[in-house]
């Protein structure tokens, strides 16, 4: 039949196998033809019900998506956010609208201005939650929280496989044994038996991504047992996002590795999840507008091949997202004004923020920017549409606390940290002397603001607890009122039924009495005409006899009194 290209192999076919091969080829052809006929028949049957199958497929896909969203919300124990209407929250923010608003407020007076601010801006119903367009308290980074839950389930499974109990470890306030069914763990069992389990590598990678872990803790966690790793596992720190309706931009300042970028990423992911109908890992109630887009400039886009530096990369992305912004977008700008001269970068950042808060096409409904330029924090005192926030830094522990402080700009901690780390006191003193006197005054004022902010947060938490108690008592009162109303309705129905029953019995009794009277009246003999002509004594005797006859007749029937009849009638 032939040979291989190298000539070392020759193909032959014995004569006895020729017929068999021909039969095999014919059988294969027949099988292929039969298979094609079956496929054409199935295709024809599918075409007949094509539209029904497509509708069924879309319905199954919709149910699958809905089930996945529900399971994810249950898994993270999330909260469905309340979507705030645009007309009720955001308003025109241009210069002309601001002038019209100021003119209207000046004409109405201070009292009318306060009433308008309370009723128009914050909803007018006195509900504290209505004061915010964005209210996400206790928001955890969705990706970090998902990794935490996945790692927690893996460690719990490992502890159960070792024959132990997972009690006593973990965090987040939830039970350690996950209520979900653990699926597809056969592969992990095989890897563990073969000594190829990846739990330690995943633990080190996850610990490096969380906020509170360091390198030493990662090494200890990787070498320890699953029970110890489970006990040392901690969820990511929650953040509080509270933005008022009249705020168009938020400037976040603070030290490096303080959580500024993680905070804006968490907000952006929460906005995307709300648009997808997913539950948020935040405390209830959660409020969030339906942003049309989430546009972000996060990270370093420098490129040697594209001739882009850090600064030019940021500018190119900012220009691109401004082209896509439609006035209802969420803009996230990380490290605004960096990568160039600090003075020029701060000036450019201020000009850009002033343009973005004006609203309209090319701007966003809410702009959140992180920066190290403290000059940008002064924009709040020039424009009330700008709000300041900062990440808290614990000077005693020399570590960030990953908490957002609203209304307080970030302050410099470089000299304090240098002094605590043991730098020469003369060097620190010389550095302080080179600072302007206003810088020290500003830092002192910021410290006082932080203390006042802490007191305000404690009072607000106490108020929230009281509000929750009031809500619980109100719901109990409403439940009791509804129960009392149901009892009152049941008693009213029972009284009506009883009166109707008495009325029916009385009517039947009166009908029986009337029938009996008619029967007795027909059977009695008529009076004689001569009785009217009898003398008076005879008339009296006849009347006495008639009375005695009546008594005899009445004695045969039990007649109710008139009072009994009327009582029964009523």
């Amino acid at each position: 039949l032939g040979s291989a290209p190298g000539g070392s192999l020759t193909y032959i076919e014995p004569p006895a196998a020729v017929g068999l091969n021909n039969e095999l080829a014919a059988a294969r052809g027949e099988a292929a033809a039969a298979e094609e006929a079956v496929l054409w028949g199935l295709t024809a049957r599918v075409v007949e019900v094509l539209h029904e199958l497509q509708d069924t497929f879309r319905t199954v896909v919709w149910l699958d998506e809905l089930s996945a969203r529900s399971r994810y919300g249950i898994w993270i124990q999330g909260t469905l956010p309340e979507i705030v209407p645009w007309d009720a929250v955001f308003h025109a923010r241009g210069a002309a609208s601001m002038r019209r608003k100021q003119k209207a407020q000046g004409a109405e007076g201070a009292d009318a201005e306060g009433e308008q601010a309370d009723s128009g801006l914050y909803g007018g119903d006195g509900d504290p939650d209505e004061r915010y367009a964005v209210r996400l308290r206790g928001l955890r980074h969705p990706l970090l929280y998902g990794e935490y839950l996945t790692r927690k389930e893996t460690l719990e499974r490992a502890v159960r496989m070792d024959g132990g109990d997972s009690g006593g470890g973990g965090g987040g306030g939830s039970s350690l044994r996950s209520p979900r069914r653990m699926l597809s763990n056969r592969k992990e069992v095989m890897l563990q038996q073969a000594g190829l389990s990846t739990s330690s590598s995943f633990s080190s990678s996850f610990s490096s991504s969380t906020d509170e872990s360091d390198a030493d803790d990662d090494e200890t966690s990787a070498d320890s047992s699953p029970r110890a790793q489970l006990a040392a596992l901690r969820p990511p720190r929650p953040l509080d996002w509270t933005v008022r309706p009249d705020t168009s931009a938020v400037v976040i300042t603070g030290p490096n590795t303080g959580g500024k970028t993680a905070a804006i990423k968490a907000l952006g992911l929460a906005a995307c999840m709300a648009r997808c109908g997913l539950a948020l890992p935040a405390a209830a109630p959660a409020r969030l507008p339906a942003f049309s887009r989430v546009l972000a400039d996060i990270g370093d886009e420098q490129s040697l091949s594209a001739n882009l530096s850090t600064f030019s990369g940021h500018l190119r992305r900012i220009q691109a997202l401004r082209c896509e912004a439609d006035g209802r977008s969420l803009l996230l700008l990380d490290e605004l004004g960096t990568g160039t001269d600090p003075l020029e970068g701060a000036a450019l950042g201020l000009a850009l923020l002033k343009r973005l808060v004006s609203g309209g096409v090319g701007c966003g409904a809410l702009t959140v920017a992180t920066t190290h330029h403290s000059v940008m924090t002064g924009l709040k005192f020039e424009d009330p549409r700008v709000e300041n926030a900062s990440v808290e830094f614990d000077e005693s522990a020399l570590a960030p606390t990953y908490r957002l402080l609203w209304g307080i700009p970030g302050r410099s901690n470089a000299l304090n940290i240098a002094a605590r780390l043991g730098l020469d006191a003369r060097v620190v003193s010389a550095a302080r002397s080179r600072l302007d006197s206003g810088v020290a005054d500003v830092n002192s004022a910021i410290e006082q603001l932080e203390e006042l902010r802490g007191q305000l947060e404690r009072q607000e938490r106490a108020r929230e607890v009281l509000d929750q108690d009031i809500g619980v008592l109100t719901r109990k009162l409403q439940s009791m009122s509804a129960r009392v109303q149901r009892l009152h309705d049941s008693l009213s129905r029972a009284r009506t039924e009883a009166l109707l029953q008495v009325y029916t019995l009385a009517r039947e009794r009166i009908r029986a009495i009337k029938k009996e009277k008619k029967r007795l009246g027909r059977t009695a003999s008529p009076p004689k005409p001569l009785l009217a002509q009898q003398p008076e004594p005879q008339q009296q005797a006849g009347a006495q006899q008639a009375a005695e006859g009546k008594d005899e007749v009445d004695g045969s029937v039990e007649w109710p009194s008139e009072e009994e009849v009327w009582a029964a009638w009523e």
Side-chain angles (χ1 to χ4, degrees), residues 15 29 73 154 188 213 221 246 256 273 290 292 307 309 322 326 403 420-422 425 453 481 496 517 520 522 524 531:
T154 303
E188 297 181 2
S213 300
S221 176
D246 56 344
N256 289 325
M273 293 170 65
S292 60
N307 195 19
S309 63
R322 283 200 61 198
D326 57 355
R403 292 179 60 242
R420 290 183 178 273
L421 291 178
R453 181 67 180 180
S481 300
T496 303
K517 282 186 177 182
L520 294 176
R522 288 193 299 267
L531 292 177

Side-chain angles (χ1 to χ4, degrees), residues 141 196 269 490:
H141 195 291
L196 300 175
L269 290 174
S490 62

